Amino acid sequence: DQQVKQNSPSLSVQEGRISILNCDYTNSMFDYFLWYKKYPAEGPTFLISISSIKDKNEDGRFTVFLNKSAKHLSLHIVPSQPGDSAVYFCAASALNDDKIIFGKGTRLHILP
Amino acid sequence: EPEVTQTPSHQVTQMGQEVILRCVPISNHLYFYWYRQILGQKVEFLVSFYNNEISEKSEIFDDQFSVERPDGSNFTLKIRSTKLEDSAMYFCASSELKRGGYNEQFFGPGTRLTVL
Protein backbone atom coordinates (compact mmCIF):
# COMPACT_ATOMS: atom_id res chain seq x y z
CA ASP A 1 0.00 0.00 0.00
CA GLN A 2 2.22 2.77 -1.27
CA GLN A 3 0.12 5.89 -1.06
CA VAL A 4 3.26 8.03 -0.99
CA LYS A 5 6.09 6.98 -3.28
CA GLN A 6 9.65 8.13 -3.45
CA ASN A 7 11.13 6.23 -6.34
CA SER A 8 14.73 7.31 -5.90
CA PRO A 9 16.34 5.63 -2.91
CA SER A 10 19.39 7.86 -3.19
CA LEU A 11 20.64 10.98 -4.90
CA SER A 12 24.11 12.54 -5.11
CA VAL A 13 24.52 16.25 -5.79
CA GLN A 14 27.55 18.50 -5.95
CA GLU A 15 27.82 21.09 -3.21
CA GLY A 16 26.41 24.42 -4.39
CA ARG A 17 24.16 22.84 -7.02
CA ILE A 18 20.42 22.28 -6.84
CA SER A 19 19.02 19.12 -5.23
CA ILE A 20 15.63 17.99 -6.48
CA LEU A 21 13.81 15.28 -4.57
CA ASN A 22 10.64 13.86 -6.07
CA CYS A 23 7.53 12.31 -4.62
CA ASP A 24 4.32 10.89 -6.06
CA TYR A 25 1.09 10.12 -4.27
CA THR A 26 -2.01 8.17 -5.14
CA ASN A 27 -4.61 9.26 -2.61
CA SER A 28 -6.59 12.24 -3.90
CA MET A 29 -7.91 12.84 -0.37
CA PHE A 30 -4.51 14.10 0.77
CA ASP A 31 -4.69 17.81 1.36
CA TYR A 32 -1.44 18.53 3.14
CA PHE A 33 2.07 17.53 2.20
CA LEU A 34 5.20 17.65 4.26
CA TRP A 35 8.91 17.02 3.90
CA TYR A 36 10.90 15.66 6.81
CA LYS A 37 14.64 15.34 7.09
CA LYS A 38 16.32 12.61 9.10
CA TYR A 39 19.88 12.22 10.30
CA PRO A 40 21.13 8.86 11.64
CA ALA A 41 20.13 8.17 15.26
CA GLU A 42 17.66 11.05 15.23
CA GLY A 43 13.95 11.31 14.61
CA PRO A 44 12.46 12.91 11.51
CA THR A 45 12.63 16.71 11.60
CA PHE A 46 9.97 18.80 9.92
CA LEU A 47 11.38 20.80 7.03
CA ILE A 48 8.62 22.37 4.97
CA SER A 49 4.99 21.78 4.07
CA ILE A 50 2.42 22.77 1.50
CA SER A 51 -1.34 22.84 1.47
CA SER A 52 -3.15 21.36 -1.50
CA ILE A 53 -4.59 24.76 -2.35
CA LYS A 54 -1.12 26.04 -3.18
CA ASP A 55 1.38 25.03 -5.83
CA LYS A 56 4.53 26.42 -4.26
CA ASN A 57 5.92 27.16 -0.84
CA GLU A 58 9.34 28.60 -0.19
CA ASP A 59 11.41 28.81 2.97
CA GLY A 60 14.97 30.00 2.54
CA ARG A 61 16.90 27.47 0.47
CA PHE A 62 13.96 25.04 0.42
CA THR A 63 11.06 25.18 -2.01
CA VAL A 64 8.30 22.64 -2.37
CA PHE A 65 6.29 22.44 -5.57
CA LEU A 66 2.94 20.66 -5.83
CA ASN A 67 1.35 19.50 -9.07
CA LYS A 68 -2.07 18.22 -8.04
CA SER A 69 -3.13 17.06 -11.48
CA ALA A 70 -0.04 14.86 -11.70
CA LYS A 71 -0.19 13.94 -8.00
CA HIS A 72 3.43 14.91 -7.76
CA LEU A 73 5.49 17.07 -5.48
CA SER A 74 9.13 17.96 -5.36
CA LEU A 75 11.55 19.52 -2.92
CA HIS A 76 14.22 21.84 -4.27
CA ILE A 77 17.26 22.71 -2.20
CA VAL A 78 19.45 25.45 -3.58
CA PRO A 79 22.29 25.84 -3.05
CA SER A 80 22.97 22.40 -1.60
CA GLN A 81 25.24 22.34 1.43
CA PRO A 82 27.16 19.49 3.13
CA GLY A 83 24.76 19.59 6.11
CA ASP A 84 21.92 18.73 3.76
CA SER A 85 23.20 15.17 3.51
CA ALA A 86 20.41 13.16 5.16
CA VAL A 87 17.37 11.02 4.38
CA TYR A 88 14.41 13.06 3.16
CA PHE A 89 10.89 11.78 3.68
CA CYS A 90 7.93 12.96 1.70
CA ALA A 91 4.72 12.70 3.72
CA ALA A 92 1.05 13.48 3.37
CA SER A 93 -2.07 13.76 5.44
CA ALA A 94 -5.78 14.01 4.75
CA LEU A 95 -8.35 16.28 6.30
CA ASN A 96 -9.65 14.86 9.60
CA ASP A 97 -6.87 12.30 9.73
CA ASP A 98 -4.38 12.35 12.56
CA LYS A 99 -1.79 10.28 10.84
CA ILE A 100 0.95 11.26 8.48
CA ILE A 101 1.68 8.81 5.66
CA PHE A 102 5.36 8.62 4.84
CA GLY A 103 7.26 7.62 1.75
CA LYS A 104 10.27 5.33 2.00
CA GLY A 105 12.71 8.22 1.87
CA THR A 106 15.50 9.38 -0.41
CA ARG A 107 19.07 9.49 0.88
CA LEU A 108 20.72 12.69 -0.31
CA HIS A 109 24.52 12.86 -0.52
CA ILE A 110 26.07 16.26 -1.01
CA LEU A 111 29.46 15.85 -2.63
CA PRO A 112 32.30 18.28 -1.90
CA GLU B 1 14.29 24.77 21.64
CA PRO B 2 11.71 22.37 23.09
CA GLU B 3 11.99 18.79 21.95
CA VAL B 4 10.41 15.39 22.31
CA THR B 5 12.49 12.98 24.34
CA GLN B 6 12.33 9.18 24.44
CA THR B 7 13.73 6.54 26.75
CA PRO B 8 15.41 4.16 26.49
CA SER B 9 17.33 4.73 23.28
CA HIS B 10 17.70 0.97 22.83
CA GLN B 11 15.70 -1.84 24.41
CA VAL B 12 16.50 -5.52 24.01
CA THR B 13 13.90 -8.03 25.14
CA GLN B 14 13.00 -11.67 24.84
CA MET B 15 10.04 -12.73 22.74
CA GLY B 16 6.89 -12.85 24.84
CA GLN B 17 8.07 -10.23 27.32
CA GLU B 18 6.30 -6.95 27.97
CA VAL B 19 8.03 -3.68 27.12
CA ILE B 20 7.15 -0.10 27.90
CA LEU B 21 8.56 2.66 25.75
CA ARG B 22 8.53 6.14 27.23
CA CYS B 23 8.19 9.57 25.74
CA VAL B 24 8.05 13.10 27.07
CA PRO B 25 6.22 15.25 24.52
CA ILE B 26 6.71 18.99 24.14
CA SER B 27 5.06 20.58 27.14
CA ASN B 28 2.33 22.67 25.53
CA HIS B 29 1.38 20.05 22.96
CA LEU B 30 -1.98 18.34 23.22
CA TYR B 31 -1.75 15.58 20.59
CA PHE B 32 0.55 12.62 20.87
CA TYR B 33 1.51 9.90 18.43
CA TRP B 34 3.48 6.72 18.06
CA TYR B 35 5.05 5.62 14.79
CA ARG B 36 7.41 2.79 14.01
CA GLN B 37 9.97 2.05 11.33
CA ILE B 38 10.99 -1.51 10.65
CA LEU B 39 14.53 -1.64 9.25
CA GLY B 40 14.53 -0.78 5.57
CA GLN B 41 10.85 0.10 5.50
CA LYS B 42 8.85 3.29 5.77
CA VAL B 43 7.78 5.09 8.91
CA GLU B 44 4.29 3.82 9.81
CA PHE B 45 1.62 5.38 11.97
CA LEU B 46 0.51 3.36 15.00
CA VAL B 47 -1.75 5.52 17.14
CA SER B 48 -2.75 9.05 18.07
CA PHE B 49 -3.86 10.18 21.50
CA TYR B 50 -5.73 13.23 22.66
CA ASN B 51 -7.56 14.19 25.84
CA ASN B 52 -6.58 10.91 27.51
CA GLU B 53 -8.00 8.66 24.87
CA ILE B 54 -7.03 7.11 21.58
CA SER B 55 -8.06 9.33 18.69
CA GLU B 56 -7.04 7.12 15.79
CA LYS B 57 -5.18 3.84 15.41
CA SER B 58 -3.84 1.78 12.55
CA GLU B 59 -4.30 -1.90 11.77
CA ILE B 60 -0.88 -2.53 13.29
CA PHE B 61 -2.08 -1.31 16.68
CA ASP B 62 -3.77 -4.50 17.83
CA ASP B 63 -4.66 -5.73 21.32
CA GLN B 64 -0.99 -6.29 22.12
CA PHE B 65 -0.43 -2.55 22.12
CA SER B 66 -1.66 0.07 24.53
CA VAL B 67 -0.89 3.71 25.23
CA GLU B 68 -1.16 5.75 28.35
CA ARG B 69 -0.44 9.19 29.70
CA PRO B 70 0.21 8.24 33.31
CA ASP B 71 0.98 11.77 34.46
CA GLY B 72 1.19 15.27 33.07
CA SER B 73 4.40 14.74 31.17
CA ASN B 74 4.93 11.12 30.08
CA PHE B 75 3.33 9.25 27.21
CA THR B 76 3.96 5.52 27.04
CA LEU B 77 3.58 2.69 24.54
CA LYS B 78 3.24 -0.80 26.00
CA ILE B 79 3.63 -3.99 24.04
CA ARG B 80 2.21 -6.81 26.15
CA SER B 81 3.85 -9.84 24.61
CA THR B 82 6.54 -8.94 22.14
CA LYS B 83 7.02 -10.81 18.88
CA LEU B 84 10.09 -10.97 16.67
CA GLU B 85 8.33 -8.77 14.12
CA ASP B 86 7.94 -5.99 16.70
CA SER B 87 11.64 -5.26 16.29
CA ALA B 88 11.74 -1.72 14.93
CA MET B 89 12.54 1.89 15.72
CA TYR B 90 9.63 3.44 17.60
CA PHE B 91 9.13 7.18 17.29
CA CYS B 92 7.00 9.29 19.55
CA ALA B 93 5.66 12.59 18.21
CA SER B 94 3.57 15.45 19.48
CA SER B 95 1.75 18.37 17.96
CA GLU B 96 0.09 21.51 19.21
CA LEU B 97 -2.73 21.42 16.74
CA LYS B 98 -4.81 18.75 15.13
CA ARG B 99 -5.98 18.79 11.54
CA GLY B 100 -7.08 22.17 10.33
CA GLY B 101 -3.84 23.58 11.65
CA TYR B 102 -0.39 22.82 10.43
CA ASN B 103 -0.45 19.30 11.84
CA GLU B 104 3.27 19.75 12.29
CA GLN B 105 4.31 16.75 14.30
CA PHE B 106 7.59 16.95 16.18
CA PHE B 107 9.37 13.63 16.48
CA GLY B 108 11.59 12.25 19.19
CA PRO B 109 14.90 10.49 18.49
CA GLY B 110 13.31 7.06 18.71
CA THR B 111 13.72 3.87 20.73
CA ARG B 112 15.26 0.92 18.94
CA LEU B 113 13.44 -2.21 20.09
CA THR B 114 15.15 -5.53 19.47
CA VAL B 115 13.15 -8.68 20.19
CA LEU B 116 15.22 -11.87 20.47
Side-chain angles (χ1 to χ4, degrees), chain A residues 1-5 31-32 34 36 38 41-46 49 89 93-104, chain B residues 31 33 35 37 40-45 48-49 55-56 58 89 91 98-110:
Chain A
D1 176 19
Q2 283 204 71
Q3 297 188 63
V4 178
K5 295 184 250 190
D31 67 340
Y32 208 78
L34 310 97
Y36 279 82
K38 186 181 179 305
E42 293 184 14
T45 303
F46 171 78
S49 61
F89 292 103
S93 66
L95 186 65
N96 297 324
D97 255 5
D98 292 351
K99 62 182 174 290
I100 293 176
I101 306 293
F102 285 85
K104 282 192 167 184
Chain B
Y31 300 89
Y33 315 83
Y35 290 79
Q37 185 181 27
Q41 299 187 24
K42 58 177 64 178
V43 177
E44 301 173 289
F45 170 80
S48 60
F49 191 85
S55 176
E56 186 178 334
S58 72
M89 183 72 88
F91 294 107
K98 201 181 184 292
R99 287 302 296 141
Y102 281 100
N103 199 26
E104 182 179 332
Q105 297 181 14
F106 293 81
F107 284 76

Side-chain angles (χ1 to χ4, degrees), chain B residues 4-114:
Chain B
V4 177
T5 59
Q6 292 185 243
T7 53
S9 57
H10 191 187
Q11 174 92 46
V12 181
T13 189
Q14 294 289 327
M15 191 169 58
Q17 295 296 304
E18 174 183 287
V19 294
I20 298 176
L21 310 182
R22 291 184 166 79
C23 168
V24 178
I26 294 173
S27 62
N28 64 330
H29 285 185
L30 301 176
Y31 300 89
F32 315 116
Y33 315 83
W34 283 100
Y35 290 79
R36 79 172 185 191
Q37 185 181 27
I38 294 171
L39 189 64
Q41 299 187 24
K42 58 177 64 178
V43 177
E44 301 173 289
F45 170 80
L46 292 178
V47 67
S48 60
F49 191 85
Y50 168 69
N51 200 25
N52 279 320
E53 59 182 27
I54 290 174
S55 176
E56 186 178 334
K57 61 182 181 179
S58 72
E59 295 171 350
I60 304 167
F61 194 87
D62 61 22
D63 292 343
Q64 292 299 313
F65 292 89
S66 63
V67 288
E68 192 178 32
R69 188 154 163 82
D71 53 45
S73 60
N74 289 285
F75 178 51
T76 62
L77 174 69
K78 182 193 292 186
I79 309 175
R80 277 183 249 289
S81 178
T82 50
K83 303 188 281 281
L84 295 175
E85 53 266 37
D86 293 327
S87 294
M89 183 72 88
Y90 288 80
F91 294 107
C92 173
S94 69
S95 67
E96 188 177 2
L97 299 171
K98 201 181 184 292
R99 287 302 296 141
Y102 281 100
N103 199 26
E104 182 179 332
Q105 297 181 14
F106 293 81
F107 284 76
T111 293
R112 179 167 297 285
L113 176 65
T114 302

